[in-house]
Amino acid sequence: MSLRGFLHERWSTQVTLLASGCLEGAQRERALAHLKACADCRREHDEVLALLHVVAQDPARTATPNVAVQYLVTRVEARLDSVIRSRPWRWATLGAGLAIGGLVAALLPRLMPGPSPSQTPAAPAVAEVAMDDAALRRLERVMAREQAVRYLAEAADVMVNLNAQSRPCPREHAHVELEAEVQRSRELVSRRALLLDLEEENLLPARDVLVDVDNVLREVASLQSCSRRDELDRVRREMEERQLLMKVRLLSRELVS
Amino acid sequence: MRRLAQGERDALQPLMERHYRRVYRIALAYLRNPDDALDVVQETFVRAFEHAGRWNAGSEVAPWLTRIAVNQSIDRYRRERRRRETMAPLDEGDHDDRLGSGEISPELQAHGHELGARIDRALRSLPERQRAVFVLRHYEDRSLEEIAEALGIRLGTVKSSLFRATHELRRRLRGVWS
């Protein structure tokens, strides 16, 4: 590299910072004095200014969201609801885990070969086991509700995203991109089948809403990741006609309480 | 903000009305996708609500929200990059060069914003830190010190990132003005 090239390289950062309006005082004066003496740096300075002039015309600088602020507020509130709903679930799961641990610890000595019958009075043991069964049923009820709350929170996230989704699919003309929602719906449908029994007594009051949510998710799960806009609109209409998001929110509150 | 810190959701709307456009523009300048930018607006205000208690009452709200918005944008970009990497492995380097060289967001294409599309491609070609520094300096008019604080990096790193970003953008956009 020539001496001239070496010096130019050294000044390059300063020239960029000068054109970007980031130099002040003595540094700025030094850079300006250098520009007067160096044609390469002057050219570079002009190029950076030209670049910044181009960037100043970027439409993104003046873009405004194509949705009303009220819509965004609703989205934020829905998201906060889902965050809040997921928290009691986590704590309750921890509590349930500890309770199960406690039950196992209490029952284990009875299941293991123990002392002779003459040393263990039969009647009190039966009474204690009966009490533990009741606790187990309560625990099952709590867990079923928590699973339902979690499922509803995650389903609500998918439905909020579907309502907000308008991203065109880059792979097909006049289609919308639904890959994330389709994938999530498929996961939720499988998980619901595994963890939530809709005929279970504990969930009977929630059954209708759970069935509606399940149907919508199945419908979304059956869509292509690149779907026609009218297919998405059909799902949206169904959610709206059934007022599903509102019902999910109310039911979740009820189940949590 | 005080009401927000006390968990009052009614305080969200006035805060969002005042700042959501700016937060959206930061996210859009960084991510170059309107839908992703809206998601970042949402997550920025969710975080603001959750962490309102940490906001220093003596400081301004706008830089605090800017910091959250930039970090949310970077997080989202990383998630998206990971998702793309899972679908098809990229070449070495921490930026998505295929996006930079080829893909123009469909929204920009549809509106025929040729200039926006070219800037879109050029900005997307930058590594995440350089892009954040450039956006904060030239879209948000933040000082180098403010950028260093927002991104949690040293002043020297901000300067070198700004220089590299400018150099790369000059190279990619030279045809626009010459």
Side-chain angles (χ1 to χ4, degrees):
Chain A
M1 184 186 285
S2 68
L3 179 63
R4 195 171 157 212
F6 172 75
L7 287 174
H8 176 69
E9 190 99 328
R10 247 188 89 198
W11 276 100
S12 250
T13 309
Q14 293 299 306
V15 167
T16 298
L17 293 176
L18 177 71
S20 302
C22 300
L23 290 187
E24 288 177 350
Q27 277 187 325
R28 185 169 185 276
E29 294 307 317
R30 270 200 303 277
L32 284 170
H34 175 76
L35 277 192
K36 283 182 186 166
C38 177
D40 285 347
C41 286
R42 272 203 304 279
R43 195 165 46 248
E44 183 161 345
H45 183 257
D46 289 348
E47 272 205 11
V48 176
L49 288 180
L51 165 73
L52 297 181
H53 180 69
V54 167
V55 169
Q57 298 168 55
D58 183 0
R61 293 174 70 95
T62 51
T64 49
N66 58 358
V67 295
V69 66
Q70 189 54 52
Y71 167 78
L72 285 169
V73 172
T74 309
R75 271 182 66 168
V76 170
E77 285 186 338
R79 180 86 175 90
L80 284 169
D81 281 346
S82 104
V83 170
I84 288 164
R85 275 197 301 266
S86 67
R87 278 181 189 148
W89 181 86
R90 282 204 293 270
W91 285 108
T93 305
L94 181 66
L98 289 172
I100 288 172
L103 272 174
V104 170
L107 290 171
L108 206 57
R110 294 186 181 90
L111 298 172
M112 300 290 281
S116 66
S118 61
Q119 286 172 307
T120 310
V126 170
E128 276 177 47
V129 170
M131 196 172 69
D132 290 339
D133 281 348
L136 206 56
R137 277 200 299 278
R138 275 202 304 278
L139 202 61
E140 278 174 358
R141 192 164 61 236
V142 169
M143 286 187 81
R145 283 174 166 239
E146 280 152 5
Q147 292 286 6
V149 169
R150 188 183 182 205
Y151 167 76
L152 287 172
E154 293 179 11
D157 279 348
V158 172
M159 290 190 279
V160 167
N161 284 344
L162 282 174
N163 272 337
Q165 185 57 281
S166 61
R167 188 186 310 168
C169 179
R171 298 181 294 283
E172 267 185 274
H173 178 65
H175 282 55
V176 279
E177 175 67 63
L178 289 178
E179 188 181 344
E181 289 75 19
V182 169
Q183 194 58 37
R184 194 79 192 102
S185 298
R186 286 174 187 166
E187 286 167 15
L188 284 172
V189 166
S190 332
R191 197 195 310 159
R192 208 282 303 150
L194 202 66
L195 296 177
L196 281 181
D197 179 3
L198 295 182
E199 301 305 323
E200 193 180 331
E201 191 187 349
N202 293 321
L203 295 176
L204 277 183
R207 190 178 176 281
D208 288 349
V209 178
L210 286 169
V211 168
D212 281 351
V213 170
D214 194 48
N215 285 340
V216 165
L217 290 179
R218 282 176 192 280
E219 210 164 320
V220 179
S222 68
L223 295 176
Q224 300 293 318
S225 58
C226 248
S227 288
R228 290 199 319 273
R229 195 169 287 275
D230 62 326
E231 290 176 319
L232 172 62
D233 288 342
R234 195 187 65 232
V235 178
R236 282 175 175 164
R237 265 199 309 279
E238 194 175 329
M239 290 190 309
E240 199 178 324
E241 279 164 11
R242 293 174 188 273
Q243 297 181 302
L244 212 46
L245 270 171
M246 188 192 72
K247 284 181 185 168
V248 164
R249 188 178 293 195
L250 292 174
L251 179 61
S252 300
R253 279 185 191 159
E254 198 181 314
L255 288 170
V256 167
S257 67
Chain B
M1 280 301 294
R2 282 192 196 89
R3 286 175 56 210
L4 211 63
Q6 286 162 4
E8 287 185 36
R9 285 207 187 172
D10 291 348
L12 259 175
Q13 181 147 353
L15 182 78
M16 287 182 71
E17 277 172 359
R18 190 175 299 171
H19 296 284
Y20 83 105
R21 288 186 193 85
R22 201 176 49 79
V23 169
Y24 175 78
R25 281 197 287 268
I26 294 170
L28 183 64
Y30 189 89
L31 294 165
R32 317 300 299 178
N33 180 299
D35 290 324
D36 289 346
L38 278 180
D39 286 347
V40 166
V41 173
Q42 173 192 302
E43 286 307 307
T44 298
F45 286 101
V46 167
R47 292 293 164 108
F49 183 84
E50 287 184 323
H51 301 301
R54 295 186 199 167
W55 173 69
N56 176 4
S59 62
E60 285 184 44
V61 179
W64 183 66
L65 285 174
T66 298
R67 191 158 62 236
I68 301 175
V70 169
N71 288 323
Q72 286 297 318
S73 300
I74 293 174
D75 280 354
R76 189 166 187 92
Y77 170 70
R78 285 179 183 163
R79 276 202 304 275
E80 181 66 12
R81 195 185 61 198
R82 273 199 296 273
R83 195 179 68 81
R84 285 175 185 277
E85 279 170 354
T86 318
M87 287 162 68
L90 293 174
D91 295 330
E92 284 186 9
D94 72 339
H95 61 284
D96 189 341
D97 205 39
R98 288 177 316 161
L99 286 179
S101 60
E103 256 180 54
I104 302 171
S105 70
E107 289 79 5
L108 287 175
Q109 272 183 334
H111 291 93
H113 288 166
E114 176 57 25
L115 178 66
R118 293 199 63 171
I119 296 173
D120 192 39
R121 275 200 300 258
L123 273 174
R124 286 213 258 178
S125 74
L126 297 178
E128 58 192 49
R129 186 198 282 157
Q130 289 179 26
R131 193 190 325 183
V133 169
F134 191 87
V135 164
L136 284 175
R137 176 64 203 145
H138 292 298
Y139 286 75
E140 267 289 286
D141 290 327
R142 296 282 150 203
S143 71
L144 299 184
E145 289 78 8
E146 285 171 329
I147 297 170
E149 197 197 332
L151 298 177
I153 55 179
R154 290 181 307 162
L155 189 59
T157 312
V158 174
K159 287 180 182 174
S160 60
S161 296
L162 184 61
F163 168 69
R164 290 200 185 105
T166 309
H167 186 77
E168 180 61 17
L169 292 177
R170 260 173 61 206
R171 194 178 70 76
R172 287 184 176 267
L173 291 171
R174 188 165 280 141
V176 177
W177 68 80
S178 62

